[in-house]
Amino acid sequence: MKDDPSTMSCAEFQAQLPDLIGSGKNMADHPHIQSCELCRTLLADLETIAEAARQLFTNVEPPDEIWEHIETAIKNEETSFRHS
Ligand SMILES: [Zn+2]
């Protein structure tokens, strides 16, 4: 069966890998990962890279907070203007 995940080839699996990772599913549960050591190693490497990327992004302020700072700055500005 062509669409059966447990019988797919490594090439088929790796072609779907970006979508699978993007979908947020637990990759360790994938039948191909459980039966194929090669792709398990590949996935471990990818997860290391993804983890490193997440660490980089935690140093960047999320946009929501930036807008809050801007809003606060504008409000402070208005307040000091009214009081002067
Ligand atoms: Zn494989």
Side-chain angles (χ1 to χ4, degrees), residues 26-56:
N26 187 1
M27 297 297 294
D29 289 342
H30 196 283
H32 187 85
I33 283 294
Q34 289 181 342
S35 62
C36 178
E37 205 185 330
L38 192 79
C39 289
R40 228 175 6 240
T41 307
L42 177 80
L43 182 67
D45 285 349
L46 286 172
E47 281 178 339
T48 305
I49 293 163
E51 184 57 38
R54 269 195 291 273
Q55 305 260 316
L56 282 174

Side-chain angles (χ1 to χ4, degrees), residues 53-72:
R54 269 195 291 273
Q55 305 260 316
L56 282 174
F57 279 119
T58 55
N59 294 327
V60 180
E61 227 175 333
D64 278 1
E65 263 180 56
I66 290 168
W67 283 113
E68 258 170 50
H69 286 312
I70 292 168
E71 234 181 81
T72 308

